[in-house]
Structure formats: structure tokens, C-alpha cells
Amino acid sequence: MKYFPESELIINEDGSCFHLHLKPSQLADKVILVGDPARVNTVAAHFSEIESEVQSREFHTITGYYKGKRITVQSHGIGCDNIDIVVNELDTLANIDYETRTEKTEHRTLTMVRIGTCGGLQLNTPVGTFVASVKSIGFDGLLNFYAGRNDVCDLELEEAFKRHMEWNPLNAAPYVANADMELINQIAGEEMVRGITVSCGGFYGPQGRTLRIPLADPNQNQKIESFEYDGLRVCNFEMESSALAGLASLLGHRAMTCCMVIANRRAQKMNTEYKNSIDTLISLVLERI
């Protein structure tokens, strides 16, 4: 049995995991992930019963019940680096015995659906569109630090994308993580556009925004918009879906990301009042998870 020492599995004095401050008993099998800590309350407002609530830094967690389903709502903040923390710690709560610091003999599978916001990149993804990320291209390089990444990634798409982009070797090697297709079909239905998502390591330059610093590749977004693979186009930019899909696959969990488009880069339109309308997507996921 593998033993996890204190330096690797950090457990707080109250028996909770290091960053999230959650205890194993506070985690449901169904998990909704959101970036904004305040959005946890928006999701939980649909619950008939609140079982527990914990907040630490940007990590806000509520576990409760929606129509008899026990669900945990977890905020993760911004970026794939935060997803690395959240997914790994949720997995420890599910699959490591905190008392013995050893891996449990029976694997517990979590179902994780991230509800986020994104920038649309195609004409068929105007502001207000719901997008389901079938495949996610990670610009952050996070999954490259884990053994087995080639086993859970679409290597042919990676190579095709690098050729199309004339990929700069100074950038982190992109990886392509697959969402759980059974979960995509369960959640997306007919209401969501399905496609490829690019997860960026930043909001400005990595997403092709130009303010006071010029871009290394001024044509990056045009190249991304024109890329097509196996009938799929790159529908949107966001900052977390690749890490979620990749880590979930490596850890044996089911995961996907669905986002509402709040800006269309091609149309140069932006909805800053999106918080009033994302509740429709929340309700859809709660019904289907």
C-alpha cells in the first residue's frame, strides 16, 4: 500500500485538506466547479438543503441537496494552476484514507462539471451561447509534468495543431485533453455547441489581447479560428478546461466543462452583465448532473 508522507499529502490539524479546508465527509460524488467564489452561492441558492459550507482564500465550498441529489459546489479561482490544486485535493478526499495516509483499496469516481464563462471564437458562438468542451488544448503545459499524459491525450490533434500554428518552441508544449464523452452527452444535450476549447495561461497576451505589450504572434487568433480537426473547430477561449479534463482522466474521474460565451472575439462584442444570465446554464447542469 502506498504511503503519502506529510510533505506530499498535507492535512490540516482539523483533518481537512491543505488548501480547500474540506474534510472527506463533506465531499459529494457529484461536483460542480465554478471560478468565482461568489458563484458558489448562486448555485447553492437552488438547493433545498445546505449540509456544509467552507471558505478558504478563493476556495469556497458548499455541499447540499438539489431534488434529492447530493452535490458539492466548489470554486477554483482562475487558471489551470488552481485546477491542479482543486482536482488533486478533491481526489485525495475521495481516494486516500486520511487516518492511515494510504490509498483506499476501492476507487471512488467523482463526476465533475465546470460551469464557466468564455470568449467565443466563431460566428456560431455569439454572446450568450453555451459551449461544451469536447477536447481542450492546454497552452499552460500543466499536464506535461505528469506521467501518463500521452495515454489520456489526443496526440494526433496535438501534432496537427502545432503544425497549423507554426508553434513557437519557446511556448509550453500544448496538450489536448478529452472530456468524458458520456458526461458530455448527458449534460450538453441539444442546447450546447460542441467543439474544441483552448485553455490559456493568461487573459491578455495568451488570448491574443493587445494592450501596451505587442504580441509575439499577432496572427495567433486568426490561426486558431481557422483550425479544424475531425469536423471540430476551436469554439472558445477559457483558462481551466484542459487541466480539469486531463487530471480527471489520469485520476479516473468523469469531467467536462461547459461555458457561456460572454465575449465574441470575432464580433468584438462583450456582455459585462453576464452574471444575471448564467443562471440558465446553472439550472441546466443541476437538472442533468
Side-chain angles (χ1 to χ4, degrees):
M1 240 187 249
K2 185 175 180 181
Y3 176 82
F4 303 94
E6 292 181 11
S7 60
E8 310 307 296
L9 174 63
I10 306 171
I11 301 174
N12 299 317
E13 289 185 4
D14 64 354
S16 64
C17 57
F18 186 50
H19 294 93
L20 307 185
H21 282 254
L22 278 184
K23 298 177 182 178
S25 62
Q26 295 173 314
L27 176 65
D29 290 339
K30 301 176 188 292
V31 183
I32 292 178
L33 298 166
V34 295
D36 185 353
R39 196 174 300 153
V40 172
N41 291 323
T42 304
V43 177
H46 294 264
F47 289 179
S48 59
E49 178 186 343
I50 302 296
E51 182 182 291
S52 63
E53 181 172 9
V54 178
Q55 186 150 16
S56 176
R57 302 184 185 183
E58 63 265 55
F59 306 117
H60 182 197
T61 316
I62 292 178
T63 295
Y65 291 85
Y66 176 81
K67 295 186 176 180
K69 295 183 284 190
R70 186 172 184 250
I71 298 173
T72 293
V73 189
Q74 174 70 62
S75 68
H76 51 71
I78 297 174
C80 286
D81 51 344
N82 274 15
I83 293 294
D84 184 61
I85 291 171
V86 170
V87 173
N88 273 293
E89 292 196 5
L90 291 179
D91 178 74
T92 68
L93 293 168
N95 291 302
I96 294 178
D97 186 319
Y98 271 35
E99 292 188 5
T100 63
R101 293 182 168 273
T102 58
E103 190 170 350
K104 295 178 180 178
T105 55
E106 186 174 338
H107 182 270
R108 178 182 170 193
T109 301
L110 302 176
T111 296
M112 297 180 282
V113 179
R114 186 179 107 71
I115 301 175
T117 57
C118 67
L121 290 171
Q122 303 295 339
L123 294 177
N124 70 330
T125 57
V127 171
T129 303
F130 298 157
V131 177
S133 305
V134 176
K135 295 177 181 288
S136 298
I137 305 176
F139 280 10
D140 58 290
L142 185 141
L143 214 65
N144 300 331
F145 288 89
Y146 288 94
R149 62 83 81 199
N150 284 1
D151 299 329
V152 300
C153 287
D154 189 328
L155 303 183
E156 291 184 7
L157 197 160
E158 286 179 13
E159 291 304 314
F161 184 76
K162 285 190 287 186
R163 287 193 300 269
H164 178 82
M165 294 293 295
E166 302 173 300
W167 194 256
N168 185 342
L170 292 177
N171 296 339
Y175 60 92
V176 179
N178 300 305
D180 184 281
M181 279 309 300
E182 183 180 278
L183 189 57
I184 287 276
N185 292 330
Q186 176 183 331
I187 300 294
E190 301 298 321
E191 291 86 353
M192 300 184 192
V193 174
R194 305 182 189 200
I196 302 170
T197 292
V198 169
S199 296
C200 297
F203 183 77
Y204 290 97
Q207 295 189 29
R209 287 186 172 89
T210 307
L211 295 178
R212 295 187 59 242
I213 306 174
L215 298 174
D217 182 0
N219 299 315
Q220 172 190 287
N221 283 16
Q222 289 88 342
K223 293 177 185 176
I224 292 172
E225 290 164 9
S226 64
F227 179 71
E228 184 173 352
Y229 183 85
D230 199 21
L232 292 174
R233 305 291 293 271
V234 179
C235 290
N236 59 327
F237 275 146
E238 52 86 81
M239 297 176 66
E240 292 90 14
S241 66
S242 61
L244 173 60
L247 290 173
S249 294
L250 288 173
L251 290 165
H253 302 298
R254 305 168 69 224
M256 67 165 287
T257 292
C258 52
C259 289
M260 185 178 77
V261 176
I262 63 169
N264 188 281
R265 304 300 297 282
R266 293 187 69 175
Q268 295 188 319
K269 299 290 184 182
M270 174 72 189
N271 173 20
T272 57
E273 302 298 322
Y274 65 88
K275 292 182 181 179
N276 298 325
S277 51
I278 199 170
D279 202 55
T280 304
L281 179 56
I282 291 170
S283 296
L284 192 67
V285 172
L286 283 170
E287 286 293 327
R288 294 176 178 176
I289 193 170

PDB file of all heavy atoms in Angstrom, residues 4 26 44 55 68 76 82 87 104 129 163 168 198 217 257 263:
ATOM      1  N   PHE A   4       1.582   8.125   1.894  1.00  0.00           N
ATOM      2  CA  PHE A   4       1.792   9.508   1.483  1.00  0.00           C
ATOM      3  C   PHE A   4       2.291  10.317   2.685  1.00  0.00           C
ATOM      4  O   PHE A   4       1.534  10.583   3.616  1.00  0.00           O
ATOM      5  CB  PHE A   4       0.487  10.101   0.944  1.00  0.00           C
ATOM      6  CG  PHE A   4      -0.089   9.328  -0.210  1.00  0.00           C
ATOM      7  CD1 PHE A   4      -1.047   8.343  -0.005  1.00  0.00           C
ATOM      8  CD2 PHE A   4       0.336   9.574  -1.503  1.00  0.00           C
ATOM      9  CE1 PHE A   4      -1.578   7.628  -1.070  1.00  0.00           C
ATOM     10  CE2 PHE A   4      -0.183   8.862  -2.581  1.00  0.00           C
ATOM     11  CZ  PHE A   4      -1.135   7.883  -2.361  1.00  0.00           C
ATOM     12  N   GLN A  26     -17.304  15.817   3.748  1.00  0.00           N
ATOM     13  CA  GLN A  26     -18.001  16.977   3.184  1.00  0.00           C
ATOM     14  C   GLN A  26     -18.050  16.965   1.661  1.00  0.00           C
ATOM     15  O   GLN A  26     -18.589  17.892   1.054  1.00  0.00           O
ATOM     16  CB  GLN A  26     -17.318  18.265   3.658  1.00  0.00           C
ATOM     17  CG  GLN A  26     -17.426  18.485   5.161  1.00  0.00           C
ATOM     18  CD  GLN A  26     -16.596  19.665   5.626  1.00  0.00           C
ATOM     19  OE1 GLN A  26     -15.439  19.833   5.250  1.00  0.00           O
ATOM     20  NE2 GLN A  26     -17.190  20.498   6.464  1.00  0.00           N
ATOM     21  N   ALA A  44     -25.806  27.311  -5.092  1.00  0.00           N
ATOM     22  CA  ALA A  44     -26.408  26.751  -3.875  1.00  0.00           C
ATOM     23  C   ALA A  44     -27.785  27.346  -3.580  1.00  0.00           C
ATOM     24  O   ALA A  44     -28.560  26.748  -2.821  1.00  0.00           O
ATOM     25  CB  ALA A  44     -25.482  26.958  -2.692  1.00  0.00           C
ATOM     26  N   GLN A  55     -14.952  28.057   3.546  1.00  0.00           N
ATOM     27  CA  GLN A  55     -14.293  29.027   2.673  1.00  0.00           C
ATOM     28  C   GLN A  55     -12.864  29.251   3.129  1.00  0.00           C
ATOM     29  O   GLN A  55     -12.597  29.476   4.314  1.00  0.00           O
ATOM     30  CB  GLN A  55     -15.046  30.353   2.636  1.00  0.00           C
ATOM     31  CG  GLN A  55     -14.474  31.333   1.616  1.00  0.00           C
ATOM     32  CD  GLN A  55     -15.515  32.268   1.053  1.00  0.00           C
ATOM     33  OE1 GLN A  55     -16.599  32.404   1.606  1.00  0.00           O
ATOM     34  NE2 GLN A  55     -15.197  32.907  -0.057  1.00  0.00           N
ATOM     35  N   GLY A  68     -33.032  15.935  -4.318  1.00  0.00           N
ATOM     36  CA  GLY A  68     -32.601  14.646  -3.783  1.00  0.00           C
ATOM     37  C   GLY A  68     -31.173  14.265  -4.132  1.00  0.00           C
ATOM     38  O   GLY A  68     -30.651  13.269  -3.603  1.00  0.00           O
ATOM     39  N   HIS A  76     -12.839  27.472  -7.778  1.00  0.00           N
ATOM     40  CA  HIS A  76     -11.428  27.167  -8.008  1.00  0.00           C
ATOM     41  C   HIS A  76     -10.590  28.391  -8.362  1.00  0.00           C
ATOM     42  O   HIS A  76      -9.370  28.274  -8.533  1.00  0.00           O
ATOM     43  CB  HIS A  76     -11.280  26.119  -9.124  1.00  0.00           C
ATOM     44  CG  HIS A  76     -12.019  26.452 -10.392  1.00  0.00           C
ATOM     45  ND1 HIS A  76     -11.626  27.463 -11.237  1.00  0.00           N
ATOM     46  CD2 HIS A  76     -13.130  25.909 -10.942  1.00  0.00           C
ATOM     47  CE1 HIS A  76     -12.461  27.522 -12.266  1.00  0.00           C
ATOM     48  NE2 HIS A  76     -13.390  26.603 -12.105  1.00  0.00           N
ATOM     49  N   ASN A  82      -4.709  26.612 -10.462  1.00  0.00           N
ATOM     50  CA  ASN A  82      -5.677  26.390  -9.388  1.00  0.00           C
ATOM     51  C   ASN A  82      -6.430  25.083  -9.574  1.00  0.00           C
ATOM     52  O   ASN A  82      -6.781  24.407  -8.594  1.00  0.00           O
ATOM     53  CB  ASN A  82      -6.667  27.558  -9.331  1.00  0.00           C
ATOM     54  CG  ASN A  82      -6.146  28.706  -8.478  1.00  0.00           C
ATOM     55  OD1 ASN A  82      -4.977  28.768  -8.161  1.00  0.00           O
ATOM     56  ND2 ASN A  82      -7.025  29.617  -8.115  1.00  0.00           N
ATOM     57  N   VAL A  87      -8.437  19.732  -8.146  1.00  0.00           N
ATOM     58  CA  VAL A  87      -8.716  18.354  -8.569  1.00  0.00           C
ATOM     59  C   VAL A  87      -7.884  17.363  -7.758  1.00  0.00           C
ATOM     60  O   VAL A  87      -8.391  16.314  -7.333  1.00  0.00           O
ATOM     61  CB  VAL A  87      -8.474  18.187 -10.079  1.00  0.00           C
ATOM     62  CG1 VAL A  87      -8.585  16.718 -10.483  1.00  0.00           C
ATOM     63  CG2 VAL A  87      -9.479  19.010 -10.876  1.00  0.00           C
ATOM     64  N   LYS A 104      -6.914   4.175  -0.711  1.00  0.00           N
ATOM     65  CA  LYS A 104      -8.010   3.258  -0.450  1.00  0.00           C
ATOM     66  C   LYS A 104      -8.014   2.125  -1.472  1.00  0.00           C
ATOM     67  O   LYS A 104      -7.611   2.303  -2.617  1.00  0.00           O
ATOM     68  CB  LYS A 104      -9.345   4.002  -0.490  1.00  0.00           C
ATOM     69  CG  LYS A 104      -9.514   5.042   0.609  1.00  0.00           C
ATOM     70  CD  LYS A 104     -10.837   5.772   0.484  1.00  0.00           C
ATOM     71  CE  LYS A 104     -11.015   6.817   1.584  1.00  0.00           C
ATOM     72  NZ  LYS A 104     -12.284   7.569   1.427  1.00  0.00           N
ATOM     73  N   THR A 129     -24.111  32.108 -26.055  1.00  0.00           N
ATOM     74  CA  THR A 129     -24.050  30.700 -26.456  1.00  0.00           C
ATOM     75  C   THR A 129     -23.480  29.837 -25.335  1.00  0.00           C
ATOM     76  O   THR A 129     -22.566  30.251 -24.623  1.00  0.00           O
ATOM     77  CB  THR A 129     -23.164  30.539 -27.708  1.00  0.00           C
ATOM     78  OG1 THR A 129     -23.672  31.357 -28.760  1.00  0.00           O
ATOM     79  CG2 THR A 129     -23.122  29.089 -28.179  1.00  0.00           C
ATOM     80  N   ARG A 163       1.505  22.086 -36.099  1.00  0.00           N
ATOM     81  CA  ARG A 163       1.866  22.386 -37.486  1.00  0.00           C
ATOM     82  C   ARG A 163       1.076  23.584 -37.997  1.00  0.00           C
ATOM     83  O   ARG A 163       1.632  24.494 -38.625  1.00  0.00           O
ATOM     84  CB  ARG A 163       1.607  21.172 -38.383  1.00  0.00           C
ATOM     85  CG  ARG A 163       2.590  20.034 -38.204  1.00  0.00           C
ATOM     86  CD  ARG A 163       2.466  19.026 -39.336  1.00  0.00           C
ATOM     87  NE  ARG A 163       1.132  18.447 -39.406  1.00  0.00           N
ATOM     88  CZ  ARG A 163       0.758  17.346 -38.777  1.00  0.00           C
ATOM     89  NH1 ARG A 163       1.622  16.704 -38.001  1.00  0.00           N
ATOM     90  NH2 ARG A 163      -0.467  16.875 -38.900  1.00  0.00           N
ATOM     91  N   ASN A 168       5.645  28.040 -31.651  1.00  0.00           N
ATOM     92  CA  ASN A 168       6.905  28.592 -31.169  1.00  0.00           C
ATOM     93  C   ASN A 168       7.470  27.672 -30.080  1.00  0.00           C
ATOM     94  O   ASN A 168       6.811  27.460 -29.055  1.00  0.00           O
ATOM     95  CB  ASN A 168       6.654  29.992 -30.597  1.00  0.00           C
ATOM     96  CG  ASN A 168       7.928  30.702 -30.172  1.00  0.00           C
ATOM     97  OD1 ASN A 168       8.975  30.078 -29.991  1.00  0.00           O
ATOM     98  ND2 ASN A 168       7.844  32.004 -29.990  1.00  0.00           N
ATOM     99  N   VAL A 198      -9.650  26.198 -26.238  1.00  0.00           N
ATOM    100  CA  VAL A 198      -8.257  26.492 -25.903  1.00  0.00           C
ATOM    101  C   VAL A 198      -8.216  27.060 -24.483  1.00  0.00           C
ATOM    102  O   VAL A 198      -8.888  28.049 -24.184  1.00  0.00           O
ATOM    103  CB  VAL A 198      -7.630  27.492 -26.889  1.00  0.00           C
ATOM    104  CG1 VAL A 198      -6.280  27.989 -26.367  1.00  0.00           C
ATOM    105  CG2 VAL A 198      -7.441  26.845 -28.260  1.00  0.00           C
ATOM    106  N   ASP A 217       3.086  36.677 -31.575  1.00  0.00           N
ATOM    107  CA  ASP A 217       2.484  36.250 -32.839  1.00  0.00           C
ATOM    108  C   ASP A 217       1.173  37.007 -33.032  1.00  0.00           C
ATOM    109  O   ASP A 217       0.128  36.600 -32.523  1.00  0.00           O
ATOM    110  CB  ASP A 217       2.225  34.741 -32.831  1.00  0.00           C
ATOM    111  CG  ASP A 217       1.643  34.236 -34.152  1.00  0.00           C
ATOM    112  OD1 ASP A 217       1.451  35.072 -35.073  1.00  0.00           O
ATOM    113  OD2 ASP A 217       1.394  33.023 -34.268  1.00  0.00           O
ATOM    114  N   THR A 257     -16.302  20.515 -19.133  1.00  0.00           N
ATOM    115  CA  THR A 257     -16.505  21.949 -18.929  1.00  0.00           C
ATOM    116  C   THR A 257     -17.583  22.439 -19.875  1.00  0.00           C
ATOM    117  O   THR A 257     -17.595  22.070 -21.060  1.00  0.00           O
ATOM    118  CB  THR A 257     -15.208  22.736 -19.197  1.00  0.00           C
ATOM    119  OG1 THR A 257     -14.250  22.425 -18.178  1.00  0.00           O
ATOM    120  CG2 THR A 257     -15.455  24.236 -19.192  1.00  0.00           C
ATOM    121  N   ALA A 263     -18.091  37.007 -24.379  1.00  0.00           N
ATOM    122  CA  ALA A 263     -17.447  37.912 -25.330  1.00  0.00           C
ATOM    123  C   ALA A 263     -17.209  37.142 -26.614  1.00  0.00           C
ATOM    124  O   ALA A 263     -16.838  35.960 -26.571  1.00  0.00           O
ATOM    125  CB  ALA A 263     -16.109  38.427 -24.782  1.00  0.00           C
TER     126      ALA A 263
END
